[in-house]
Amino acid sequence: GRLLGGDLPRRREIKKRKNKERKKNRRKEKKRRKNAQTYNQLFKEKGIADQLILPLEVIPRHVYNQYVIRVNNNRDELRSFLTENNIFTEIYYPLPLHLQDCFASLEYKKGAFPESEKAANDTIALPIFPELAKEQLVYVTEKIDEFIKKFGI
């Protein structure tokens, strides 16, 4: 008779590949976490951390797929300034979910979720990918510091 599940070498190879991929992902996660810590430290050293709202880490396992800061004013101008200086940012939710066409049937109006609306206007994601060098993180924080000194936030 035929043995069910008898392809043990193949199953071992699959498990080995999955473990290798997990280790690779953990290394990337660890590097993004280090980059986030470096950003936090640099913003504090420059004395501008209190002018920004930095990401909170409630549980020490944040993977930092994004490093999103909040600025009270001039977010779009800051983004343009950073782009002019070859720093590419992202705004993930420029329109709050409750105001998007796909949720129109729920009949929420502007003002229904003020914190979501504020976040849509105030947030900007900075580069955080694992391959960033410390010098690049320093450059990003220097440019944000320069912008704040010139234009305020």
Side-chain angles (χ1 to χ4, degrees):
R2 189 164 174 222
L3 192 61
L4 292 177
D7 193 1
L8 193 56
R10 183 173 181 275
R11 290 195 336 229
R12 283 185 182 144
E13 182 59 34
I14 291 170
K15 187 175 182 178
K16 193 173 168 180
R17 268 189 270 138
K18 284 182 181 179
N19 284 337
K20 188 176 180 181
E21 189 66 28
R22 276 191 206 106
K23 285 180 184 177
K24 180 180 169 185
N25 287 340
R26 280 195 291 267
R27 281 193 302 273
K28 285 183 176 184
E29 177 185 317
K30 186 177 180 180
K31 185 67 173 118
R32 282 193 309 267
R33 288 176 54 75
K34 176 75 172 134
N35 288 346
Q37 291 168 352
T38 301
Y39 268 140
N40 291 343
Q41 176 189 347
L42 291 168
F43 284 131
K44 286 176 188 163
E45 287 174 6
K46 293 190 180 315
I48 58 173
D50 59 335
Q51 296 177 56
L52 309 167
I53 299 174
L54 303 177
L56 294 175
E57 187 165 0
V58 179
I59 299 172
R61 289 289 299 144
H62 197 310
V63 296
Y64 291 101
N65 278 329
Q66 293 89 29
Y67 184 88
V68 179
I69 63 171
R70 288 179 76 163
V71 297
N72 289 327
N73 298 299
N74 298 331
R75 189 266 319 261
D76 295 334
E77 293 81 359
L78 172 61
R79 185 173 193 214
S80 294
F81 178 81
L82 293 175
T83 300
E84 290 166 11
N85 286 279
N86 296 313
I87 300 167
F88 299 96
T89 61
E90 192 59 65
I91 298 171
Y92 286 102
Y93 295 98
L95 186 63
L97 294 177
H98 68 284
L99 298 178
Q100 293 183 16
D101 289 342
C102 60
F103 295 110
S105 65
L106 299 176
E107 299 182 1
Y108 288 114
K109 303 292 180 222
K110 190 170 181 166
F113 297 97
E115 191 56 35
S116 293
E117 293 167 27
K118 185 165 174 34
N121 292 323
D122 296 352
T123 57
I124 183 170
L126 303 179
I128 191 71
F129 51 93
E131 296 80 12
L132 284 170
K134 183 173 182 181
E135 297 76 29
Q136 292 170 305
L137 300 170
V138 168
Y139 180 71
V140 171
T141 58
E142 285 173 347
K143 289 300 171 184
I144 292 173
D145 185 38
E146 181 182 331
F147 180 86
I148 289 172
K149 286 179 175 146
K150 282 183 181 178
F151 307 105
I153 284 193

